[in-house]
Amino acid sequence: MDKQTVKSVAWENGTLYLLDQTQLPTDVVVEEQQSVKQVWDSIKKLKVRGAPAIGVAGAYGLAVAMRDKISLDRESFLAEMQDNASYLDSSRPTAVNLSWALNRVVKTVRAHSAKSGRELYDVLVAEAEAIHAEDVELCRRIGEHGVSLISDGMGILTHCNAGRLATSDYGTATAPMYLAHERGVSFTVYSDESRPLLQGSRLTAWELQAAGVDVYTITDNMAAAMMQQGLINIVIVGTDRVAANGDVANKIGTLGVAILASYFKIPFYVATPFSTIDLATTSGSQIVIEERGEDEVTHFGMRRTAPEGIKVRNPAFDVTPNALVTGFITDRGIIRPPYRDTLKAAFGN
Ligand code: MRU
């Protein structure tokens, strides 16, 4: 399968396909999703992951849940759809795109006057397809707005995977990189491996390498040294949820990178589509941070790397305070502080 064209999420003739990202970088495996339970599991196990991609997968997951319910009348169809939306939403809590996409689909279907399950199902699928197509466009625009931040000779640090694989295409943090690369700008990316699940080395390094971008993979604890050596000129990361005051939830370790960037006076940018900006959450302290299983920390691959019975913490995300964010690269332009005002002005419609 062609590395550059394989998509994280695909909907073809009423069937949902998800790339199993847990098998990268060694195996490219695409799985047909047979049931809503399977979609829930694929999100929970990070087969599909990254905030925009789980939003799109969740929307199509609702279609998978409802495709054999088309004989229901309107009220029964709507009730079933609501139950399944709540179920899918329970798979992961931090990335707002999941609940955003599910709520959007549910709202659109409810607002439609159709009486039959058949017609309501078509409305549901059309909205999921709209979210999917829109996500490609949003990422493309993030690239357009962010590309001028990248110039010849730059070193760029990124954390986790906010790339094509985390979205429907282009990525968020990577969109300006892909566009700069297309335009012949020569730069180097340092991709933090992003313990414990290595989205940086398994996914970001994989997709940037496939696109011909100059990329190094580094362990998380090397970022400070790279900055000290003057190799990093800008940090660009993605996000799972931006609060109204500009606090940023992203993959665990992002906070440390932001503090380092501040110490070394390196600009720290967060790339995000409007669908990840949650103005209903006033500050980062309100964001629910997913705690994941112990095995991700006590094992490296199949091998145990911590003693039996050891106590473990495994928060999957952290919150970077708005004061450390130089700017948000969004589909509507680059947003600068004071974020409580500027985010509301740009996204509070
Ligand atoms: O646990 P993951 O792999 O879903 O975490 C993903 C991230 O933290 C990404 O940086 C974020 O979702 C932005 S994706 C454009």
Side-chain angles (χ1 to χ4, degrees), residues 46 49-52 92 160-162 166-167 172 199 238-240 250-251 317:
L46 273 56
R49 32 66 50 206
R92 293 193 80 192
C160 192
N161 175 265
T167 63
T172 59
Q199 288 91 330
T239 172
D240 292 85
N250 192 46
K251 180 54 54 199
F317 302 95

Side-chain angles (χ1 to χ4, degrees), residues 20-325:
D20 180 357
Q21 298 187 33
T22 64
Q23 306 215 35
L24 289 173
T26 49
D27 298 301
V28 179
V29 177
V30 173
E31 288 183 347
E32 181 181 332
Q33 305 295 299
Q34 316 263 7
S35 67
V36 65
K37 166 84 176 70
Q38 187 183 354
V39 179
W40 189 95
D41 243 49
S42 298
I43 297 173
K44 180 76 184 172
K45 292 183 177 152
L46 273 56
K47 290 183 173 189
V48 61
R49 32 66 50 206
I54 63 176
V56 175
Y60 283 132
L62 205 47
V64 171
M66 298 308 293
R67 67 184 166 202
D68 60 354
K69 306 276 189 309
I70 54 176
S71 58
L72 294 177
D73 62 30
R74 178 183 171 88
E75 287 318 311
S76 314
F77 186 94
L78 294 180
E80 277 279 335
M81 179 179 67
Q82 185 58 63
D83 286 353
N84 280 288
S86 305
Y87 170 63
L88 284 163
D89 194 26
S90 70
S91 55
R92 293 193 80 192
T94 306
V96 69
N97 300 62
L98 182 58
S99 54
W100 171 84
L102 288 164
N103 289 338
R104 176 167 152 180
V105 173
V106 166
K107 203 169 152 200
T108 304
V109 176
R110 280 190 175 283
H112 201 278
S113 59
K115 296 272 181 291
S116 71
R118 166 80 262 169
E119 289 167 285
L120 291 169
Y121 175 75
D122 290 343
V123 175
L124 191 168
V125 170
E127 192 60 15
E129 286 175 331
I131 289 171
H132 192 184
E134 185 181 282
D135 187 46
V136 178
E137 181 56 20
L138 293 173
C139 291
R140 203 189 55 73
R141 281 193 227 148
I142 288 170
E144 295 281 354
H145 289 298
V147 69
S148 60
L149 296 170
I150 301 176
S151 50
D152 268 326
M154 265 192 169
I156 306 171
L157 184 89
T158 191
H159 190 76
C160 192
N161 175 265
R164 285 182 49 229
L165 294 165
T167 63
S168 305
D169 209 350
Y170 306 114
T172 59
T174 55
M177 304 179 203
Y178 284 129
L179 199 52
H181 180 67
E182 252 173 58
R183 294 183 182 175
V185 181
S186 156
F187 58 92
T188 299
V189 178
Y190 294 82
S191 164
D192 277 352
E193 72 175 347
S194 313
R195 270 287 281 157
L197 294 180
L198 310 177
Q199 288 91 330
S201 55
R202 290 189 306 103
L203 309 177
T204 304
W206 183 82
E207 65 163 86
L208 290 178
Q209 184 191 52
V213 173
D214 184 42
V215 56
Y216 288 90
T217 200
I218 58 172
T219 61
D220 299 336
N221 51 2
M222 294 173 189
M226 298 297 127
M227 289 185 182
Q228 189 183 43
Q229 288 167 33
L231 295 171
I232 310 296
N233 304 100
I234 187 171
V235 176
I236 310 179
V237 296
T239 172
D240 292 85
R241 190 183 298 243
V242 179
N245 69 344
D247 289 348
V248 171
N250 192 46
K251 180 54 54 199
I252 191 75
T254 304
L255 171 60
V257 172
I259 293 169
L260 288 174
S262 166
Y263 179 83
F264 287 107
K265 303 201 173 13
I266 295 166
F268 178 91
Y269 283 92
V270 177
T272 178
F274 81 89
S275 49
T276 311
I277 296 173
D278 178 13
L279 296 180
T281 293
T282 44
S283 76
S285 60
Q286 296 175 346
I287 299 174
V288 176
I289 301 294
E290 177 185 11
E291 277 275 343
R292 295 186 60 85
E294 296 186 357
D295 287 6
E296 293 177 0
V297 176
T298 56
H299 288 69
F300 205 85
M302 301 299 283
R303 185 171 184 273
R304 175 169 271 283
T305 52
E308 292 279 359
I310 194 74
K311 292 194 286 184
V312 170
R313 287 291 315 273
N314 188 15
F317 302 95
D318 57 26
V319 175
T320 298
N322 55 20
L324 297 178
V325 180

